[in-house]
Amino acid sequence: MAAEGGGKEMNEIKTQFTTREGVYKLLTHSEYSRPNRVPFNSQGSNPVKVSFVNVNDQSGNGDRICFNVGRELYFYIYKGVRKAADLSKPIDKRIYKGTQPTCHDFNPLTATAESVSLLVGFSAGQVQLIDPIKKETSKLFNEERLIDKSRVTCVRWVPGSESLFLVAHSSGSLYLYNVEHTCGTTPPHYQLLKQGDGYAVHTCKSKSARNPLLRWTVGEGALNEFAFSPDGKFLACASQDGFLRVFGFDAAELHGTMKSYFGGLLCVCWSPDGRYIVAGGEDDLVTVWSFSDCRVIARGHGHKSWVSVVAFDHCTTSVEDSDPPAEFSGSDEEFHEQIHFGGGRDRANSSQSHLSKRNSTDGRPVSVTYRFGSVGQDTQLCLWDLTEDILFPHLPLSRTRTHTNVMSSTSPPATGAATTNTTTTTAAAATTTTTTTTTATTTTTTTPTNPPGTNGNNTVSSSSGNSGGPANSLPAPLPRSNSLPHSSGPAGGSTTPNCHTSSSKGSSIIDSTFIATGVSKFATLSLHDTRKERHEKDHKRNHSMGHISSKSSDKLNQLSSAARTAKADAAKTLGTLLCPRMEEVPLLEPLVCKKIAHERLTVLIFLEDCLVTACQEGFICTWARPGKVGLLSSQNPANSPSGTVV
């Protein structure tokens, strides 16, 4: 980035960018927007969101796109890199009065060329089920706003289900619905089903089946986004209180938590194999969290403002083993790791079968580089690589002989040190937790010179213990992690106090919602408590005397003590496994960090032959992957080849 200079060049919007697999190019003819192509005045409106579904159309144009702009909702055939977008012929267009669409989700199980099930959440709290192909509005949930009056922040079909869906609100509540059930004409009464640290689950108390089946109350403040794991068994929730909470969905068990470095968390996503979760938010960072270890393993700093979307690119990854390294990147072959992650979710392809053959020969392991991306309110797109030196850090130092020139986190990094080559040899044994901190560590002072155009930490790990990392992996010929030098000290702890596991396997909560006899407690929400929480939240946000309506000394004392408590709570989590200090975990640098829009970015989706971004002006952009440009660069789209991929 530094080489590009400052001033005018820094504010110039990029139409292409280069990674190790090639050049990504913006396809101007594949831009989707409102038919008049006029930039939308986004002041005070909800974020533009995009949903995709494939209807398995025989013609080859099976992809469908839905997006909301202000009060409008559009549904088009998505032609991607193949043909130019024809905005004059939307399959369906809807304009809403009095409320705005905020989010939407297709059900991939029921989608056909004749019918699709699309859920749409609204700013006033309602959820609509529509079929934009048949142009039907089949049902409206929470129509009278008796269930929740706050804005819908996220809506998702439950994986593997044709009828169950989950809805999050800015109230901090999460509701499970069944499309077959009605919502009732009176506010629902709830019974407490399960309670835990920072969450409670209630079932609807009713003589007949009605929505919602369940209500989850998660954290404090808005629940900004949630995401199901690839196998559908776990649920990750990103909340305004800054906490990531990961639940076992069926049993409603809290698996683990993480705290943002500052402010609320706005977005969350899972790696394709379910091993890692990435979250972003108001601290301008992307945070990588290990599902198995329940701890932060890396942070990425590249954005200059809030991070609005994070997403993994399951099509771009590199594979390495003892043979000459193979690489799958920038192709339409979707990569899947050697473990099975999620029935019905993975699609068989040549890449997967090729990998399984490689894995079965000689027992050689395959190590993986994960690629993920992020977009933010700073109008920038960042791409990140998560490499094995970050994923598989050293075991506890008392068991390790290390030859390294990785700098200590207490000393400032030297400007010229672009590469840190680390070699770790670990004794084979069952790992035992030890409290000794003094270890004989040999440090070598030789730093090999990096050839031009390469960067990162080349790590060679050899481990025969069951550490979760690959053994006998060789360094890849590709550029390694763009992580800054970091201390390996705090990274190897085996105790995870913020990881919650239940001794007995919890029964499914969805089943138990239909058995009211098993519930003994009746839960009531105290209005006084919620008001008190709102006061505390408002004071945390404003820190201003002008926002306090009453001048009584009691209220002043109450609010000031609440502010002190909030600061104390934040200070308690900083430096713990919930929220490590910046110097305690590796800091990633983005592979790519480009300004690609005039307005804040709200969408990032990785598809097989392209990636899709959208900004608040209502423009949905398609970026062709290297070698996937199907359109000519000619200004006249009529000159482009008819649907063939070059």
Side-chain angles (χ1 to χ4, degrees):
M1 288 298 290
E4 294 182 11
K8 190 176 179 182
E9 282 190 24
M10 291 297 286
N11 293 320
E12 184 185 343
I13 291 182
K14 307 299 180 187
T15 56
Q16 65 180 47
F17 55 86
T18 306
T19 63
R20 68 164 183 258
E21 59 268 14
V23 180
Y24 289 75
K25 293 182 179 178
L26 176 65
L27 301 179
T28 53
H29 298 311
S30 294
E31 182 179 86
Y32 286 78
S33 67
R34 298 188 299 170
N36 58 12
R37 294 190 184 272
V38 175
F40 176 68
N41 181 8
S42 60
Q43 294 301 318
S45 67
N46 289 288
V48 173
K49 296 289 181 69
V50 173
S51 296
F52 284 99
V53 69
N54 191 292
V55 299
N56 300 315
D57 191 2
Q58 299 300 321
S59 67
N61 284 338
D63 288 327
R64 302 290 182 267
I65 183 174
C66 171
F67 57 90
N68 61 289
V69 182
R71 296 184 298 119
E72 302 165 12
L73 187 75
Y74 292 94
F75 182 70
Y76 281 97
I77 294 176
Y78 179 71
K79 299 177 181 178
V81 302
R82 299 183 302 276
K83 290 183 180 179
D86 184 3
L87 299 184
S88 63
K89 298 176 183 177
I91 299 176
D92 196 14
K93 172 190 174 181
R94 297 173 187 237
I95 301 177
Y96 296 93
K97 294 180 180 178
T99 185
Q100 292 186 2
T102 58
C103 51
H104 31 82
D105 190 42
F106 288 105
N107 192 331
L109 293 180
T110 59
T112 66
E114 293 78 33
S115 173
V116 293
S117 297
L118 176 66
L119 290 169
V120 184
F122 290 91
S123 55
Q126 303 94 334
V127 179
Q128 193 178 39
L129 175 64
I130 63 177
D131 188 334
I133 296 180
K134 292 181 176 177
K135 296 182 173 52
E136 291 178 357
T137 302
S138 52
K139 284 191 177 180
L140 187 60
F141 302 93
N142 192 28
E143 182 176 4
E144 303 297 327
R145 304 172 69 208
L146 298 173
I147 296 171
D148 201 307
K149 290 181 170 60
S150 64
R151 177 174 55 93
V152 176
T153 56
C154 187
V155 60
R156 292 276 186 273
W157 291 95
V158 174
S161 174
E162 296 185 4
S163 57
L164 297 177
F165 63 93
L166 207 55
V167 182
H169 288 259
S170 58
S171 63
S173 294
L174 194 64
Y175 299 92
L176 179 68
Y177 287 83
N178 188 325
V179 293
E180 308 298 334
H181 297 174
T182 58
C183 286
T185 55
T186 57
H189 294 283
Y190 295 104
Q191 290 177 305
L192 182 65
L193 193 62
K194 182 165 286 191
Q195 201 163 11
D197 185 17
Y199 80 102
V201 183
H202 296 81
T203 182
C204 188
K205 185 183 179 184
S206 174
K207 291 181 180 178
S208 59
R210 62 169 280 184
N211 284 317
L213 305 180
L214 290 175
R215 183 187 71 184
W216 298 55
T217 309
V218 181
E220 296 180 13
L223 203 167
N224 291 320
E225 191 178 33
F226 64 85
F228 282 99
S229 61
D231 60 7
K233 294 179 180 177
F234 292 90
L235 183 71
C237 299
S239 297
Q240 190 59 39
D241 60 6
F243 278 92
L244 166 74
R245 295 175 177 89
V246 182
F247 299 95
F249 181 61
D250 284 349
E253 295 283 353
L254 184 63
H255 171 77
T257 54
M258 182 271 284
K259 176 73 170 62
S260 70
Y261 196 75
F262 173 82
L265 287 178
L266 304 177
C267 50
V268 63
C269 69
W270 292 78
S271 65
D273 55 9
R275 289 184 174 186
Y276 304 99
I277 297 173
V278 172
E282 296 175 358
D283 53 9
D284 304 354
L285 302 170
V286 292
T287 303
V288 186
W289 191 78
S290 167
F291 176 79
S292 58
D293 295 340
C294 293
R295 64 180 179 86
V296 176
I297 59 169
R299 288 193 181 101
H301 186 249
H303 288 284
K304 301 180 181 70
S305 186
W306 295 358
V307 180
S308 49
V309 184
V310 286
F312 272 88
D313 180 1
H314 47 276
C315 300
T316 303
T317 209
S318 61
V319 183
E320 44 188 86
D321 57 15
S322 303
D323 292 335
E327 173 183 303
F328 297 98
S329 58
S331 71
D332 57 351
E333 295 180 340
E334 184 178 351
F335 171 78
H336 288 278
E337 214 176 334
Q338 61 265 37
I339 63 166
H340 177 71
F341 53 87
R345 281 227 165 205
D346 34 354
R347 290 169 286 182
N349 53 39
S350 57
S351 167
Q352 188 177 10
S353 57
H354 180 61
L355 279 177
S356 58
K357 288 175 188 173
R358 293 174 73 90
N359 295 344
S360 60
T361 57
D362 305 329
R364 292 190 182 110
V366 174
S367 61
V368 181
T369 299
Y370 297 86
R371 166 73 57 81
F372 66 94
S374 58
V375 294
Q377 298 197 6
D378 57 359
T379 70
Q380 292 194 128
L381 163 71
C382 291
L383 295 181
W384 314 80
D385 267 0
L386 195 58
T387 49
E388 61 178 12
D389 53 333
I390 305 298
L391 300 175
F392 313 119
H394 316 309
L395 292 178
L397 289 179
S398 54
R399 311 280 308 167
T400 310
R401 297 193 307 277
T402 307
H403 307 285
T404 175
N405 66 344
V406 174
M407 302 172 202
S408 168
S409 58
T410 54
S411 61
T415 52
T419 308
T420 52
N421 292 328
T422 308
T423 310
T424 307
T425 313
T426 308
T431 343
T432 54
T433 311
T434 144
T435 55
T436 17
T437 54
T438 54
T439 313
T441 304
T442 318
T443 304
T444 62
T445 54
T446 55
T447 306
T449 313
N450 234 14
T454 63
N455 52 7
N457 302 343
N458 291 336
T459 305
V460 187
S461 300
S462 170
S463 165
S464 50
N466 187 12
S467 63
N472 304 325
S473 29
L474 293 177
L478 303 170
R480 304 300 295 144
S481 161
N482 284 29
S483 61
L484 298 178
H486 59 274
S487 166
S488 58
S494 58
T495 55
T496 53
N498 63 319
C499 193
H500 304 266
T501 54
S502 58
S503 53
S504 60
K505 193 172 182 181
S507 60
S508 169
I509 265 203
I510 299 177
D511 299 337
S512 60
T513 54
F514 303 105
I515 310 170
T517 54
V519 183
S520 57
K521 295 182 182 178
F522 179 71
T524 57
L525 284 181
S526 166
L527 190 62
H528 173 72
D529 289 345
T530 47
R531 281 180 180 166
K532 184 180 174 184
E533 286 171 8
R534 282 180 194 159
H535 274 302
E536 291 178 1
K537 183 178 71 175
D538 288 344
H539 188 68
K540 281 181 226 171
R541 282 185 181 171
N542 301 315
H543 293 289
S544 166
M545 300 295 287
H547 291 274
I548 301 174
S549 55
S550 169
K551 293 186 178 180
S552 70
S553 58
D554 291 343
K555 284 204 172 185
L556 287 175
N557 292 335
Q558 181 185 357
L559 289 169
S560 60
S561 65
R564 283 196 299 271
T565 308
K567 286 181 180 177
D569 290 345
K572 282 177 190 173
T573 58
L574 187 62
T576 66
L577 281 177
L578 273 177
C579 179
R581 298 182 187 278
M582 290 298 287
E583 66 270 13
E584 290 176 345
V585 293
L587 190 64
L588 304 176
E589 285 184 327
L591 298 172
V592 170
C593 189
K594 302 289 183 185
K595 178 182 173 70
I596 61 169
H598 288 292
E599 269 285 346
R600 63 187 187 272
L601 293 163
T602 56
V603 170
L604 174 63
I605 300 172
F606 290 96
L607 302 176
E608 284 193 10
D609 47 14
C610 61
L611 60 95
V612 176
T613 61
C615 71
Q616 196 54 27
E617 287 184 319
F619 296 116
I620 291 90
C621 298
T622 298
W623 301 76
R625 291 184 186 270
K628 294 294 174 183
V629 181
L631 296 172
L632 295 178
S633 56
S634 165
Q635 293 301 312
N636 183 5
N639 294 337
S640 62
S642 56
T644 56
V645 178
V646 179

